[in-house]
Amino acid sequence: MSSVLSNPSRVVGIHFFNPAHVISTVEVIYGDKTSGEAVATAFSVCQAMKKVPVLVGNCPNFVFNRLLAVYLSQAHKLLWQYGMSPKDVDQIVTSFGFLMGPITMHDMNGLDIGAKVKQAHNVELNLIEKTLLDRNRLGRKNGT
């Protein structure tokens, strides 16, 4: 994107996590030509919004979504391989101080969004995801 600009040093990305009103962490993404001033400005903007900025390089899925994939995979494994209930999985995670559990978060974001991300990266859906999507159970956004 920055290659067509007269001053590519001013390009910086800000990636909010969903749900943004709950999650305070924000990724600030720098490119090859991003200046320190642009990064500092992005950090100031994030802090003014009472968000916690984390600096990351420009790569597919940034850092948080790479970690999120593993996090959700393990949560789903607890459901389908060990037979735990979604409520129990979330309770384990929130007992460690997380604001919400992985199943609640996935429900809020929408299973179709997670499926599209997996498809874009050639990652197979697990049995729970396939079953819920086949039944159009996308989560809170469509009331299922």
Side-chain angles (χ1 to χ4, degrees):
M1 209 166 41
S2 66
S3 65
V4 298
L5 300 175
S6 61
N7 187 356
S9 71
R10 297 176 63 193
V11 175
V12 65
I14 297 177
H15 177 223
F16 293 85
F17 303 125
N18 198 7
H21 69 286
V22 175
I23 308 299
S24 62
T25 308
V26 175
E27 287 175 319
V28 174
I29 304 100
Y30 67 92
D32 292 339
K33 297 181 180 166
T34 303
S35 69
E37 183 179 356
V39 170
T41 300
F43 265 62
S44 293
V45 168
C46 293
Q47 290 164 340
M49 292 185 289
K50 297 186 176 13
K51 298 289 185 180
V52 178
V54 176
L55 186 63
V56 299
N58 187 18
C59 62
N61 291 324
F62 309 125
V63 174
F64 180 81
N65 284 335
R66 287 179 179 194
L67 295 171
L68 180 62
V70 175
Y71 178 61
L72 286 174
S73 174
Q74 293 305 305
H76 288 164
K77 188 175 184 179
L78 291 173
L79 298 174
W80 59 267
Q81 188 169 342
Y82 296 100
M84 293 183 71
S85 74
K87 181 180 176 181
D88 289 341
V89 171
D90 278 357
Q91 199 283 318
I92 290 169
V93 173
T94 57
S95 73
F96 281 97
F98 284 72
L99 298 174
M100 70 174 61
I103 307 304
T104 298
M105 185 215 46
H106 205 186
D107 183 51
M108 289 179 77
N109 290 344
L111 275 68
D112 55 330
I113 302 301
K116 287 177 184 176
V117 170
K118 281 187 166 186
Q119 182 181 25
H121 296 283
N122 295 316
V123 176
E124 192 173 332
L125 298 174
N126 64 48
L127 182 59
I128 289 175
E129 292 168 319
K130 287 178 186 176
T131 302
L132 291 172
L133 288 167
D134 287 346
R135 296 178 183 178
N136 199 36
R137 304 282 306 265
L138 307 181
R140 294 181 189 191
K141 67 193 221 170
N142 74 342
T144 59

